[in-house]
Amino acid sequence: MARIDLSGTGVSRGFGIGPARVYQPKTVARVRSKIPSTDFESEQGRLDDALAASRLQLEQLISRQKPDNKTAVNILKMHQALLDDPGLFGAAREEIEKKSISAEAAVNWALRNAHQQFSKISGDKFRERIRDIQDVGKRVLNNLMGVLGGSLAELKEPVILLAHDLAPSDTASLPPELVLGFATEVGGPTSHTAILARSLQIPAVVGVSNLMQQVEDGDLIIVNGFTGEIIIHPETKTEALYREAQDEFIRQERYYATLSSLPSVTVDGHPVMLLANIELASEIRSVHNSGAEGIGLYRTEYLFMGRSSLPSEEEQYQAYRNAAESMKKRPVVIRTLDIGGDKFSHALSMPEELNPFLGWRAVRFCLQNIDIFRTQLRAILRASVHGDVSLLYPLISGVGELRQINTVLAEVKSDLEQEGIPYNPGIKVGGMIEVPSAVMMVEQMAGELDFFSIGTNDLIQYTLAVDRGNARIAHLYQPLHPAVLKMIREVVRVGHEHNIPVDVCGEMASDPLCTLILLALGVERFSMSPVAIPNIKALLRHLRMDQARALGERVVEIPTAEQVMDYATRVGRRLVPDFPWEQTKIAR
């Protein structure tokens, strides 16, 4: 049959080659709506039974995860927590009595209500929360109506799984030994489905338009988790080339594994610090396995998400202490609450905003919710005696705002001293440089901070006025735009002049081509997803720093992002010819 080429977004590295298995989950039939008003207790009992069955199913899914797959366990536990959310199924229970409707109708109402609330707010995290709620809601509805699961449990031989969508719980149930790869018509790189694919090390592509119309069970499929390519009915020659690439990828992964205990140093002996970004304490194991030198960004807002009440000071302290002790005196940079924007918590009263990324978020929120902020600062300071803990403020826009925050920090330190509670009085304090105004004021902020951390994701978005979640203008989101590179160069210049460390903790840090350019601009500390560290370390250990720095003098003078990418790619291939540059996200 004729070859068919499709494309989407690669979200989990690797190549999958094998026969297609089209997944069509069973759907919930139309539900009855009205019930006699006297039957509401019976319907509430049915809902309670369905919730109990859903909890048990999720617990069974959790028990089937491998011991080191904490990512899947935490996502499934978050789904369990949603079952107890008073704003979701608690509200559905009340609707049964209030409107004399069936349990199924009440759950559907609650799901629609949640969808309406979250869909008003832009951002990948909000879209993903909708998918989590729909996944849990579908499970409850299936249990209410006695609908059994789909065909995933029936897999008997290795396949490439194809679906319109895979819910997070579907993905968590996949047997990695039988699923060679998967592709879906919807989804994005930050979705829980994508995160789970990476944790299970299954090559995956999402966002493939018209996929289900082009494929049938048994068709030979190639999934390229790097580029997002899907090939249906590949020619024999193409299949052979991809099997060679698959073998080479496996060889590379084995080689990267040997680097975990080796230092991240260039050929000419220049050390470069590679740190890890984490969101959950359970990811600390992957930090150790990756060979990271510490935690460069601990995103604390995830302690506040997926729950109906705020975490206590003690709960936060234990989480931060665990991270500090687990790192055994290696750096742990804890970012204060960056709620708002694309991160939302039921436990906090966050207003609807037309543009939340320009609204009430991060330190702006904290300065108007001092009690919440002080509680977190107390917990971080208490944890600082258990390791090399630093404090990082997000979304700083200028010196005045920075001084307000430091005043609160000084007050919290004073309170701890009066209470006789130990903390590290010399804890280092850093600021995230992710707003153009912060770049313009970085010279003045140098006297107020111990280190700078460049958050490239927001810096690019704010500098170029581009919402990367908007498909119509996503092509304008250009990490290698000359304006972005000049801003990074300025921050590095000021940092070097004032002997202040500068690190990059956005997505640019995990892309080899961007890393090459950032090194050329003088960045010497990088923080990234643990999974990206072996690849970046391999690049560093085959690179001469003196040659890389010569690139920096040229890239800031090139007028377009496309030209920067082409020039840097040519230089990269010349400096490190054996490196797999075709796998870089920016350069492909």
Side-chain angles (χ1 to χ4, degrees):
M1 299 181 69
R3 166 174 167 163
I4 300 173
D5 291 271
L6 302 174
S7 64
T9 301
V11 296
S12 184
R13 294 156 21 103
F15 303 97
I17 307 169
R21 175 64 178 269
V22 178
Y23 174 55
Q24 298 284 3
K26 295 180 180 179
T27 58
V28 176
R30 185 175 179 179
V31 302
R32 63 194 176 100
S33 179
K34 286 290 183 178
I35 61 169
S37 59
T38 56
D39 288 354
F40 75 88
E41 289 185 351
S42 173
E43 287 300 305
Q44 288 176 336
R46 291 182 62 237
L47 176 57
D48 292 341
D49 289 345
L51 291 171
S54 298
R55 287 189 195 92
L56 179 59
Q57 290 163 357
L58 288 169
E59 192 61 43
Q60 290 170 341
L61 262 181
I62 290 170
S63 68
R64 290 204 292 268
Q65 304 305 312
K66 292 183 178 179
D68 60 346
N69 191 1
K70 299 298 185 182
T71 300
V73 169
N74 279 293
I75 290 174
L76 293 170
K77 284 186 175 180
M78 186 269 288
H79 282 202
Q80 285 183 317
L82 283 173
L83 294 170
D84 298 316
D85 191 327
L88 190 61
F89 297 109
R93 200 173 191 280
E94 293 175 1
E95 285 295 298
I96 292 174
E97 180 178 2
K98 188 187 302 181
K99 296 182 179 178
S100 295
I101 58 177
S102 68
E104 293 89 341
V107 170
N108 277 328
W109 169 85
L111 296 177
R112 287 195 303 270
N113 187 53
H115 188 279
Q116 289 172 358
Q117 290 183 23
F118 281 99
S119 62
K120 293 176 183 178
I121 309 172
S122 63
D124 292 341
K125 296 294 182 186
F126 291 108
R127 285 190 287 271
E128 183 56 27
R129 184 48 54 90
I130 291 172
R131 296 185 73 239
D132 285 322
I133 290 172
Q134 289 173 335
D135 186 5
V136 175
K138 179 184 173 184
R139 180 179 295 279
V140 174
L141 285 170
N142 282 343
N143 283 318
L144 278 168
M145 304 186 70
V147 177
L148 299 177
S151 58
L152 290 179
E154 302 167 8
L155 293 177
K156 295 292 189 293
E157 57 186 20
V159 295
I160 301 291
L161 194 65
L162 306 173
H164 171 70
D165 191 16
L166 281 177
S169 59
D170 288 334
T171 311
S173 69
L174 297 179
E177 68 278 8
L178 294 179
V179 179
L180 304 172
F182 73 76
T184 63
E185 292 185 321
V186 300
T190 62
S191 69
H192 280 162
T193 295
I195 293 170
L196 286 164
R198 292 191 286 272
S199 74
L200 294 168
Q201 298 182 314
I202 298 176
V205 175
V206 300
V208 185
S209 299
N210 301 316
L211 172 65
M212 302 297 277
Q213 300 174 16
Q214 307 281 353
V215 67
E216 296 180 358
D217 278 347
D219 288 346
L220 182 61
I221 303 284
I222 294 175
V223 171
N224 186 333
F226 294 103
T227 65
E229 294 173 286
I230 301 291
I231 304 175
I232 307 171
H233 312 307
E235 304 91 344
T236 302
K237 181 179 179 181
T238 300
E239 180 186 354
L241 289 172
Y242 269 90
R243 291 200 182 278
E244 288 180 13
Q246 188 179 52
D247 291 341
E248 176 62 18
F249 171 67
I250 293 171
R251 186 194 67 78
Q252 287 174 7
E253 291 296 291
R254 289 173 179 164
Y255 168 62
Y256 292 158
T258 68
L259 301 179
S260 62
S261 61
L262 298 178
S264 53
V265 60
T266 62
V267 172
D268 48 347
H270 193 95
V272 178
M273 182 172 280
L274 299 183
L275 304 164
N277 297 342
I278 69 168
E279 299 175 356
L280 302 166
S282 60
E283 296 176 278
I284 291 173
R285 182 184 180 91
S286 63
V287 175
H288 290 296
N289 292 341
S290 71
E293 298 171 63
I295 297 171
L297 179 63
Y298 186 164
R299 298 182 177 100
T300 61
E301 52 273 10
Y302 293 93
L303 290 170
F304 292 73
M305 297 172 68
R307 56 190 298 160
S308 57
S309 61
L310 293 171
S312 66
E313 177 185 326
E314 187 63 23
E315 183 180 349
Q316 293 186 64
Y317 162 67
Q318 292 296 342
Y320 308 147
R321 174 179 176 171
N322 178 54
E325 292 181 336
S326 298
M327 284 295 103
K328 303 184 187 307
K329 303 299 182 181
R330 286 184 284 175
V332 177
V333 180
I334 302 176
R335 186 176 70 183
T336 59
L337 187 60
D338 188 12
I339 210 73
D342 62 348
K343 295 176 283 289
F344 176 79
S345 171
H346 284 300
L348 297 169
S349 298
M350 303 292 291
E352 293 183 11
E353 297 182 293
L354 291 176
N355 194 333
F357 282 98
L358 298 180
W360 199 41
R361 58 170 293 202
V363 294
R364 302 169 182 179
F365 172 87
C366 289
L367 285 172
Q368 294 185 41
N369 290 270
I370 293 295
D371 288 344
I372 295 173
F373 191 35
R374 288 173 63 89
T375 297
Q376 182 175 43
L377 290 176
R378 285 177 62 92
I380 295 172
L381 287 170
R382 288 173 59 195
S384 67
V385 298
H386 299 287
D388 182 10
V389 173
S390 299
L391 185 63
L392 179 62
Y393 301 137
L395 207 74
I396 300 295
S397 60
V399 175
E401 189 175 52
L402 177 57
R403 287 176 177 169
Q404 282 183 272
I405 302 167
N406 277 335
T407 297
V408 178
L409 178 64
E411 293 171 353
V412 172
K413 286 182 175 181
S414 178
D415 289 345
L416 291 175
E417 288 172 5
Q418 292 179 20
E419 296 170 34
I421 298 175
Y423 73 94
N424 175 16
I427 186 172
K428 294 180 180 178
V429 177
M432 290 199 71
I433 308 299
E434 47 191 343
V435 179
S437 64
V439 177
M440 300 300 291
M441 297 301 295
V442 71
E443 188 89 47
Q444 288 75 15
M445 289 197 294
E448 312 277 340
L449 294 168
D450 298 306
F451 65 97
F452 298 135
S453 185
I454 303 175
T456 56
N457 296 359
D458 272 339
L459 183 61
I460 297 163
Q461 179 169 244
Y462 291 134
T463 300
L464 304 181
V466 173
D467 176 6
R468 59 177 174 170
N470 186 329
R472 293 183 178 180
I473 58 172
H475 65 285
L476 298 176
Y477 184 88
Q478 298 174 323
L480 300 183
H481 192 288
V484 174
L485 299 183
K486 288 180 179 180
M487 287 193 169
I488 293 173
R489 180 182 64 171
E490 175 62 11
V491 177
V492 172
R493 180 192 68 78
V494 172
H496 286 176
E497 285 186 1
H498 292 266
N499 197 28
I500 294 175
V502 179
D503 63 65
V504 169
C505 63
E507 284 298 312
M508 284 181 73
S510 63
D511 184 276
L513 186 65
C514 290
T515 297
L516 177 63
I517 292 172
L518 292 169
L519 283 168
L521 295 176
V523 177
E524 297 178 351
R525 303 202 322 180
F526 298 82
S527 191
M528 65 199 75
S529 170
V531 71
I533 287 176
N535 197 23
I536 299 300
K537 185 180 287 189
L539 170 63
L540 293 173
R541 291 183 60 83
H542 290 82
L543 182 70
R544 292 187 60 88
M545 182 62 81
D546 55 356
Q547 295 175 328
R549 281 180 172 157
L551 172 65
E553 301 171 4
R554 175 77 178 102
V555 291
V556 292
E557 303 301 329
I558 298 175
T560 71
E562 291 80 10
Q563 289 174 304
V564 170
M565 182 178 69
D566 290 343
Y567 177 72
T569 301
R570 291 198 304 273
V571 171
R573 292 186 188 282
R574 176 172 55 82
L575 296 182
V576 191
D578 294 332
F579 189 79
W581 294 102
E582 69 280 358
Q583 295 176 7
T584 65
K585 292 173 288 187
I586 300 297
R588 69 170 180 253

